[in-house]
């Protein structure tokens, strides 16, 4: 994943995608598959990401991260209504999992990403600020920070 981030920073998404695909094929890691799908979407290859997203949605209990990925892919493919439905479904799931007294910062980041997809930037910024106060890890916060800066 460090190599993938280095490739991303250098603007070499194709190399990141190839690296992540090899790693996932060898290790069968959900974390690597997630990063691979994210890189495909970021590289403008969203159509290639959909089979992996659909497979993940079929086999995972917590679907919000994959619904957000599918929404991003659908949005980039011009499927705005389907993307909106996915972002809304992700928010519904997250609302049931977030505990206001002790929120999970990873869930706050996911919530922020869905809110951005729905055009609710102010609420996404609140989610980011809350996540940052709880667990100020740059790796955890980076996807939401990138999305808020418009460079996702």
């Amino acid at each position: 994943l460090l190599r993938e981030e280095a490739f991303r920073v250098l603007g070499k998404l194709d190399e990141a995608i190839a690296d992540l695909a090899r790693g996932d094929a060898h290790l069968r890691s959900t974390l690597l598959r997630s990063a691979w799908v994210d890189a495909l979407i970021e590289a403008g290859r969203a159509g290639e990401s959909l089979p992996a997203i659909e497979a993940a949605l079929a086999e995972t209990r917590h679907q919000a991260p994959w619904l957000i990925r599918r929404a991003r892919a659908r949005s980039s493919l011009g499927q705005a209504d389907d993307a909106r439905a996915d972002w809304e479904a992700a928010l519904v799931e997250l609302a049931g999992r977030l505990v206001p007294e002790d929120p999970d910062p990873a869930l706050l980041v996911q919530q922020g990403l869905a809110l951005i997809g729905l055009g609710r930037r102010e609420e996404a910024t609140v989610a980011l600020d809350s996540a940052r106060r709880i667990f100020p890890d740059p790796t955890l916060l980076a996807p939401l920070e990138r999305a808020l800066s418009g460079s996702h």
Side-chain angles (χ1 to χ4, degrees):
L1 290 176
L2 292 175
R3 283 172 53 103
E4 180 265 338
E5 184 60 26
F7 282 136
R8 182 187 307 271
V9 169
L10 294 171
K12 297 183 175 191
L13 282 175
D14 288 336
E15 287 92 336
I17 290 166
D19 234 23
L20 290 165
R22 280 191 300 275
D24 180 49
H26 180 69
L27 299 172
R28 306 303 301 163
S29 162
T30 302
L31 188 59
L32 289 176
R33 186 168 306 115
S34 299
W36 173 66
V37 166
D38 291 340
L40 283 171
I41 295 167
E42 190 173 323
R45 295 166 53 183
E48 294 175 54
S49 72
L50 287 173
I53 293 170
E54 295 299 339
L57 283 167
E59 64 190 33
T60 187
R61 190 173 105 216
H62 298 302
Q63 297 194 335
W66 292 102
L67 287 167
I68 292 166
R69 286 183 181 93
R70 188 171 68 182
R72 289 179 56 223
R74 286 175 161 178
S75 179
S76 73
L77 294 169
Q79 301 169 1
D81 291 340
D82 291 333
R84 181 172 198 75
D86 283 341
W87 278 312
E88 289 172 349
L91 282 178
V92 168
E93 178 189 320
L94 292 166
R97 292 176 53 209
L98 273 165
V99 179
E101 302 81 33
D102 187 24
D104 180 327
L107 297 181
L108 289 169
V109 168
Q110 292 171 24
Q111 180 186 54
L113 290 169
L115 289 166
I116 287 172
L118 292 169
R120 296 162 55 185
R121 294 182 65 79
E122 287 183 27
E123 291 172 81
T125 301
V126 170
L128 174 62
D129 291 343
S130 297
R132 183 178 286 124
R133 274 192 307 278
I134 297 165
F135 190 68
D137 176 60
T139 303
L140 174 69
L141 303 174
L144 183 50
E145 289 173 335
R146 277 195 305 268
L148 280 167
S149 74
S151 62
H152 55 99

PDB file of all heavy atoms in Angstrom, residues 2 12 15 21 24 32 65 68 70 90 95-97 103 111-112 116 121 126 130 134-135 141:
ATOM      1  N   LEU A   2       2.036   1.176   0.582  1.00  0.00           N
ATOM      2  CA  LEU A   2       2.936   2.332   0.529  1.00  0.00           C
ATOM      3  C   LEU A   2       3.379   2.603  -0.905  1.00  0.00           C
ATOM      4  O   LEU A   2       3.483   3.766  -1.318  1.00  0.00           O
ATOM      5  CB  LEU A   2       4.145   2.110   1.435  1.00  0.00           C
ATOM      6  CG  LEU A   2       3.854   2.099   2.939  1.00  0.00           C
ATOM      7  CD1 LEU A   2       5.109   1.750   3.726  1.00  0.00           C
ATOM      8  CD2 LEU A   2       3.306   3.442   3.386  1.00  0.00           C
ATOM      9  N   LYS A  12       1.258   8.151 -11.162  1.00  0.00           N
ATOM     10  CA  LYS A  12       1.438   6.918 -11.930  1.00  0.00           C
ATOM     11  C   LYS A  12       0.383   5.888 -11.524  1.00  0.00           C
ATOM     12  O   LYS A  12       0.685   4.827 -10.984  1.00  0.00           O
ATOM     13  CB  LYS A  12       2.842   6.363 -11.707  1.00  0.00           C
ATOM     14  CG  LYS A  12       3.930   7.299 -12.204  1.00  0.00           C
ATOM     15  CD  LYS A  12       5.292   6.683 -12.031  1.00  0.00           C
ATOM     16  CE  LYS A  12       6.357   7.593 -12.639  1.00  0.00           C
ATOM     17  NZ  LYS A  12       7.644   6.933 -12.734  1.00  0.00           N
ATOM     18  N   GLU A  15       0.608   2.207 -12.864  1.00  0.00           N
ATOM     19  CA  GLU A  15       1.553   1.357 -12.136  1.00  0.00           C
ATOM     20  C   GLU A  15       0.959   0.912 -10.804  1.00  0.00           C
ATOM     21  O   GLU A  15       1.110  -0.227 -10.397  1.00  0.00           O
ATOM     22  CB  GLU A  15       2.888   2.075 -11.899  1.00  0.00           C
ATOM     23  CG  GLU A  15       3.733   2.224 -13.149  1.00  0.00           C
ATOM     24  CD  GLU A  15       3.478   3.542 -13.884  1.00  0.00           C
ATOM     25  OE1 GLU A  15       2.393   4.128 -13.724  1.00  0.00           O
ATOM     26  OE2 GLU A  15       4.362   3.969 -14.628  1.00  0.00           O
ATOM     27  N   ALA A  21      -3.226  -5.061  -8.333  1.00  0.00           N
ATOM     28  CA  ALA A  21      -3.845  -6.258  -8.906  1.00  0.00           C
ATOM     29  C   ALA A  21      -2.975  -7.482  -8.655  1.00  0.00           C
ATOM     30  O   ALA A  21      -3.487  -8.556  -8.301  1.00  0.00           O
ATOM     31  CB  ALA A  21      -4.083  -6.059 -10.403  1.00  0.00           C
ATOM     32  N   ASP A  24      -3.262  -8.361  -4.924  1.00  0.00           N
ATOM     33  CA  ASP A  24      -4.553  -8.966  -4.607  1.00  0.00           C
ATOM     34  C   ASP A  24      -4.630 -10.395  -5.137  1.00  0.00           C
ATOM     35  O   ASP A  24      -5.131 -11.284  -4.450  1.00  0.00           O
ATOM     36  CB  ASP A  24      -5.696  -8.126  -5.173  1.00  0.00           C
ATOM     37  CG  ASP A  24      -7.046  -8.724  -4.861  1.00  0.00           C
ATOM     38  OD1 ASP A  24      -7.282  -9.070  -3.685  1.00  0.00           O
ATOM     39  OD2 ASP A  24      -7.866  -8.860  -5.776  1.00  0.00           O
ATOM     40  N   LEU A  32      -6.219  -4.763  -0.191  1.00  0.00           N
ATOM     41  CA  LEU A  32      -5.609  -4.524  -1.501  1.00  0.00           C
ATOM     42  C   LEU A  32      -6.677  -4.377  -2.577  1.00  0.00           C
ATOM     43  O   LEU A  32      -6.556  -3.527  -3.469  1.00  0.00           O
ATOM     44  CB  LEU A  32      -4.647  -5.654  -1.863  1.00  0.00           C
ATOM     45  CG  LEU A  32      -3.352  -5.707  -1.066  1.00  0.00           C
ATOM     46  CD1 LEU A  32      -2.531  -6.927  -1.456  1.00  0.00           C
ATOM     47  CD2 LEU A  32      -2.540  -4.438  -1.252  1.00  0.00           C
ATOM     48  N   PRO A  65     -18.768   0.982   2.575  1.00  0.00           N
ATOM     49  CA  PRO A  65     -17.590   1.367   1.779  1.00  0.00           C
ATOM     50  C   PRO A  65     -17.716   0.953   0.315  1.00  0.00           C
ATOM     51  O   PRO A  65     -17.270   1.678  -0.581  1.00  0.00           O
ATOM     52  CB  PRO A  65     -16.428   0.628   2.438  1.00  0.00           C
ATOM     53  CG  PRO A  65     -16.945   0.026   3.691  1.00  0.00           C
ATOM     54  CD  PRO A  65     -18.437   0.099   3.671  1.00  0.00           C
ATOM     55  N   ILE A  68     -20.231   3.205  -1.477  1.00  0.00           N
ATOM     56  CA  ILE A  68     -19.576   4.478  -1.812  1.00  0.00           C
ATOM     57  C   ILE A  68     -18.696   4.305  -3.043  1.00  0.00           C
ATOM     58  O   ILE A  68     -18.700   5.161  -3.949  1.00  0.00           O
ATOM     59  CB  ILE A  68     -18.782   5.005  -0.602  1.00  0.00           C
ATOM     60  CG1 ILE A  68     -19.755   5.416   0.511  1.00  0.00           C
ATOM     61  CG2 ILE A  68     -17.869   6.166  -1.006  1.00  0.00           C
ATOM     62  CD1 ILE A  68     -19.109   5.624   1.863  1.00  0.00           C
ATOM     63  N   ARG A  70     -19.130   2.077  -5.415  1.00  0.00           N
ATOM     64  CA  ARG A  70     -20.005   1.912  -6.576  1.00  0.00           C
ATOM     65  C   ARG A  70     -20.615   3.255  -6.969  1.00  0.00           C
ATOM     66  O   ARG A  70     -20.746   3.558  -8.167  1.00  0.00           O
ATOM     67  CB  ARG A  70     -21.087   0.875  -6.293  1.00  0.00           C
ATOM     68  CG  ARG A  70     -21.896   0.527  -7.549  1.00  0.00           C
ATOM     69  CD  ARG A  70     -22.811  -0.636  -7.349  1.00  0.00           C
ATOM     70  NE  ARG A  70     -23.888  -0.306  -6.420  1.00  0.00           N
ATOM     71  CZ  ARG A  70     -24.813  -1.177  -6.042  1.00  0.00           C
ATOM     72  NH1 ARG A  70     -24.795  -2.428  -6.486  1.00  0.00           N
ATOM     73  NH2 ARG A  70     -25.763  -0.819  -5.208  1.00  0.00           N
ATOM     74  N   ALA A  90     -25.641   4.122   1.601  1.00  0.00           N
ATOM     75  CA  ALA A  90     -24.468   4.092   2.481  1.00  0.00           C
ATOM     76  C   ALA A  90     -24.731   4.905   3.740  1.00  0.00           C
ATOM     77  O   ALA A  90     -24.402   4.464   4.854  1.00  0.00           O
ATOM     78  CB  ALA A  90     -23.234   4.617   1.746  1.00  0.00           C
ATOM     79  N   ALA A  95     -25.650   5.360   9.505  1.00  0.00           N
ATOM     80  CA  ALA A  95     -26.444   5.926  10.602  1.00  0.00           C
ATOM     81  C   ALA A  95     -26.776   4.842  11.628  1.00  0.00           C
ATOM     82  O   ALA A  95     -26.821   5.110  12.832  1.00  0.00           O
ATOM     83  CB  ALA A  95     -27.718   6.571  10.062  1.00  0.00           C
ATOM     84  N   GLY A  96     -26.975   3.629  11.161  1.00  0.00           N
ATOM     85  CA  GLY A  96     -27.268   2.525  12.064  1.00  0.00           C
ATOM     86  C   GLY A  96     -26.044   1.986  12.792  1.00  0.00           C
ATOM     87  O   GLY A  96     -26.172   1.283  13.798  1.00  0.00           O
ATOM     88  N   ARG A  97     -24.868   2.310  12.301  1.00  0.00           N
ATOM     89  CA  ARG A  97     -23.625   1.788  12.898  1.00  0.00           C
ATOM     90  C   ARG A  97     -22.864   2.823  13.710  1.00  0.00           C
ATOM     91  O   ARG A  97     -22.069   2.462  14.577  1.00  0.00           O
ATOM     92  CB  ARG A  97     -22.717   1.254  11.785  1.00  0.00           C
ATOM     93  CG  ARG A  97     -23.297   0.009  11.126  1.00  0.00           C
ATOM     94  CD  ARG A  97     -22.481  -0.480   9.958  1.00  0.00           C
ATOM     95  NE  ARG A  97     -21.091  -0.671  10.291  1.00  0.00           N
ATOM     96  CZ  ARG A  97     -20.085  -0.554   9.418  1.00  0.00           C
ATOM     97  NH1 ARG A  97     -20.333  -0.239   8.166  1.00  0.00           N
ATOM     98  NH2 ARG A  97     -18.852  -0.758   9.787  1.00  0.00           N
ATOM     99  N   PRO A 103     -18.101   7.609  18.394  1.00  0.00           N
ATOM    100  CA  PRO A 103     -18.091   7.310  16.954  1.00  0.00           C
ATOM    101  C   PRO A 103     -16.760   6.732  16.476  1.00  0.00           C
ATOM    102  O   PRO A 103     -15.700   7.117  16.947  1.00  0.00           O
ATOM    103  CB  PRO A 103     -18.370   8.666  16.308  1.00  0.00           C
ATOM    104  CG  PRO A 103     -17.938   9.669  17.321  1.00  0.00           C
ATOM    105  CD  PRO A 103     -18.128   9.036  18.670  1.00  0.00           C
ATOM    106  N   GLN A 111     -18.879   8.279   6.125  1.00  0.00           N
ATOM    107  CA  GLN A 111     -20.036   9.174   6.130  1.00  0.00           C
ATOM    108  C   GLN A 111     -19.718  10.459   5.361  1.00  0.00           C
ATOM    109  O   GLN A 111     -20.516  10.921   4.544  1.00  0.00           O
ATOM    110  CB  GLN A 111     -20.430   9.496   7.572  1.00  0.00           C
ATOM    111  CG  GLN A 111     -21.626  10.419   7.683  1.00  0.00           C
ATOM    112  CD  GLN A 111     -21.876  10.829   9.116  1.00  0.00           C
ATOM    113  OE1 GLN A 111     -20.965  11.327   9.783  1.00  0.00           O
ATOM    114  NE2 GLN A 111     -23.092  10.612   9.588  1.00  0.00           N
ATOM    115  N   GLY A 112     -18.534  11.012   5.617  1.00  0.00           N
ATOM    116  CA  GLY A 112     -18.131  12.226   4.914  1.00  0.00           C
ATOM    117  C   GLY A 112     -18.059  12.036   3.412  1.00  0.00           C
ATOM    118  O   GLY A 112     -18.488  12.905   2.644  1.00  0.00           O
ATOM    119  N   ILE A 116     -20.303  14.060   0.672  1.00  0.00           N
ATOM    120  CA  ILE A 116     -19.743  14.810  -0.457  1.00  0.00           C
ATOM    121  C   ILE A 116     -20.430  14.397  -1.753  1.00  0.00           C
ATOM    122  O   ILE A 116     -20.770  15.235  -2.587  1.00  0.00           O
ATOM    123  CB  ILE A 116     -18.222  14.608  -0.560  1.00  0.00           C
ATOM    124  CG1 ILE A 116     -17.532  15.360   0.561  1.00  0.00           C
ATOM    125  CG2 ILE A 116     -17.681  15.086  -1.917  1.00  0.00           C
ATOM    126  CD1 ILE A 116     -16.064  15.072   0.668  1.00  0.00           C
ATOM    127  N   ARG A 121     -21.229  19.255   1.457  1.00  0.00           N
ATOM    128  CA  ARG A 121     -19.825  19.488   1.844  1.00  0.00           C
ATOM    129  C   ARG A 121     -19.657  19.964   3.287  1.00  0.00           C
ATOM    130  O   ARG A 121     -18.711  19.569   3.957  1.00  0.00           O
ATOM    131  CB  ARG A 121     -19.173  20.477   0.884  1.00  0.00           C
ATOM    132  CG  ARG A 121     -19.040  19.940  -0.535  1.00  0.00           C
ATOM    133  CD  ARG A 121     -18.344  20.933  -1.456  1.00  0.00           C
ATOM    134  NE  ARG A 121     -16.972  21.165  -1.077  1.00  0.00           N
ATOM    135  CZ  ARG A 121     -15.954  20.345  -1.343  1.00  0.00           C
ATOM    136  NH1 ARG A 121     -16.185  19.225  -1.989  1.00  0.00           N
ATOM    137  NH2 ARG A 121     -14.741  20.646  -0.973  1.00  0.00           N
ATOM    138  N   VAL A 126     -17.686  18.550   8.786  1.00  0.00           N
ATOM    139  CA  VAL A 126     -17.932  18.255  10.203  1.00  0.00           C
ATOM    140  C   VAL A 126     -17.507  16.822  10.504  1.00  0.00           C
ATOM    141  O   VAL A 126     -16.869  16.552  11.533  1.00  0.00           O
ATOM    142  CB  VAL A 126     -19.418  18.496  10.570  1.00  0.00           C
ATOM    143  CG1 VAL A 126     -19.730  17.953  11.957  1.00  0.00           C
ATOM    144  CG2 VAL A 126     -19.761  19.976  10.473  1.00  0.00           C
ATOM    145  N   SER A 130     -14.564  15.756  13.123  1.00  0.00           N
ATOM    146  CA  SER A 130     -14.839  14.812  14.214  1.00  0.00           C
ATOM    147  C   SER A 130     -13.874  13.636  14.161  1.00  0.00           C
ATOM    148  O   SER A 130     -13.317  13.237  15.188  1.00  0.00           O
ATOM    149  CB  SER A 130     -16.275  14.302  14.135  1.00  0.00           C
ATOM    150  OG  SER A 130     -17.183  15.358  14.314  1.00  0.00           O
ATOM    151  N   ILE A 134     -10.814  12.488  16.984  1.00  0.00           N
ATOM    152  CA  ILE A 134     -10.795  11.168  17.615  1.00  0.00           C
ATOM    153  C   ILE A 134      -9.502  10.421  17.299  1.00  0.00           C
ATOM    154  O   ILE A 134      -8.893   9.807  18.177  1.00  0.00           O
ATOM    155  CB  ILE A 134     -12.001  10.332  17.146  1.00  0.00           C
ATOM    156  CG1 ILE A 134     -13.298  11.002  17.583  1.00  0.00           C
ATOM    157  CG2 ILE A 134     -11.924   8.907  17.691  1.00  0.00           C
ATOM    158  CD1 ILE A 134     -14.521  10.464  16.876  1.00  0.00           C
ATOM    159  N   PHE A 135      -9.095  10.460  16.029  1.00  0.00           N
ATOM    160  CA  PHE A 135      -7.945   9.662  15.592  1.00  0.00           C
ATOM    161  C   PHE A 135      -7.278  10.384  14.433  1.00  0.00           C
ATOM    162  O   PHE A 135      -7.614  10.154  13.270  1.00  0.00           O
ATOM    163  CB  PHE A 135      -8.428   8.265  15.171  1.00  0.00           C
ATOM    164  CG  PHE A 135      -7.318   7.283  14.938  1.00  0.00           C
ATOM    165  CD1 PHE A 135      -6.538   6.822  15.984  1.00  0.00           C
ATOM    166  CD2 PHE A 135      -7.063   6.792  13.663  1.00  0.00           C
ATOM    167  CE1 PHE A 135      -5.521   5.898  15.778  1.00  0.00           C
ATOM    168  CE2 PHE A 135      -6.054   5.870  13.442  1.00  0.00           C
ATOM    169  CZ  PHE A 135      -5.281   5.425  14.503  1.00  0.00           C
ATOM    170  N   LEU A 141      -7.579   9.616   7.202  1.00  0.00           N
ATOM    171  CA  LEU A 141      -8.286  10.835   6.813  1.00  0.00           C
ATOM    172  C   LEU A 141      -8.087  11.224   5.348  1.00  0.00           C
ATOM    173  O   LEU A 141      -8.888  11.980   4.785  1.00  0.00           O
ATOM    174  CB  LEU A 141      -7.846  11.992   7.712  1.00  0.00           C
ATOM    175  CG  LEU A 141      -8.040  11.781   9.219  1.00  0.00           C
ATOM    176  CD1 LEU A 141      -7.417  12.947   9.986  1.00  0.00           C
ATOM    177  CD2 LEU A 141      -9.506  11.607   9.571  1.00  0.00           C
TER     178      LEU A 141
END
